Amino acid sequence: MAKAGYTVTTGGAVALTGGAAKTVLGLRANAAFGLDLKKIRVSFDGTTATAVPALVEACYCTWATNGTMGTNNTTLTSAVAQVYGRAQTHGVTAGKNWTSEPTVLTPLEEWLVSPAGGIVVYDWPLGDTPDCAFSEGFAIRVTAPAGVNVRAGLVWERA
């Protein structure tokens, strides 16, 4: 079976407030299929070498509240791009920069990352990729002890 892979990024910096958790990027499948998360990318633009690390969480999300369609965020659905495989409509919704956090986030992985130019580049190993149920998806949540900007990206396949 030929797979098709897709990506979405924040497309710009998302400002973090010190000490507050923020969902910076999220992705939701539609009612016809789930998603298979392949990769995440997160980077910071801080310049203070002694800054306390930020907590970066790759989360499963039910989207029970504050979904991906612009209620409490910026919609990114038109920014989704296919990066490999047979041409196929992506059928997802995506968003960034939540002002009110989704309530059902379950961390799958977490990293402490320096906000002074720190980066997370994680590719799930073949056979270990998390997948989601129909109409659910994934999010990247970041908690930084001090204000800093973050950029993020997700790569997935339809499951």
Side-chain angles (χ1 to χ4, degrees), residues 1-156:
M1 172 169 78
K3 294 268 188 169
Y6 306 88
T7 186
V8 67
T9 67
T10 54
V14 174
L16 301 176
T17 302
K22 179 181 273 280
T23 300
V24 298
L25 184 64
L27 177 66
R28 182 179 186 176
N30 70 24
F33 57 82
L35 305 173
D36 191 11
L37 186 60
K38 302 301 234 175
K39 306 174 185 193
I40 73 163
R41 308 288 188 255
V42 180
S43 62
F44 297 93
D45 70 354
T47 57
T48 305
T50 59
V52 176
L55 174 63
V56 175
E57 298 170 289
C59 299
Y60 186 97
C61 191
T62 65
W63 300 114
T65 61
N66 298 325
T68 55
M69 290 305 293
T71 304
N72 291 298
N73 64 13
T74 302
T75 300
L76 292 173
T77 302
S78 63
V80 173
Q82 186 169 354
V83 291
Y84 61 85
R86 187 170 294 177
Q88 190 173 18
T89 303
H90 62 76
V92 302
T93 58
K96 73 173 185 177
N97 197 17
W98 271 256
T99 56
S100 179
E101 287 296 294
T103 56
V104 187
L105 289 167
T106 304
L108 302 171
E109 293 282 348
E110 60 183 20
W111 303 269
L112 288 173
V113 182
S114 170
I119 188 167
V120 172
V121 176
Y122 191 76
D123 297 8
W124 263 271
L126 184 62
D128 291 343
T129 56
D131 63 354
C132 73
F134 296 179
S135 299
E136 296 185 0
F138 301 100
I140 297 173
R141 179 172 58 188
V142 180
T143 307
V148 68
N149 293 324
V150 63
R151 290 178 179 252
L154 295 166
V155 177
W156 74 95

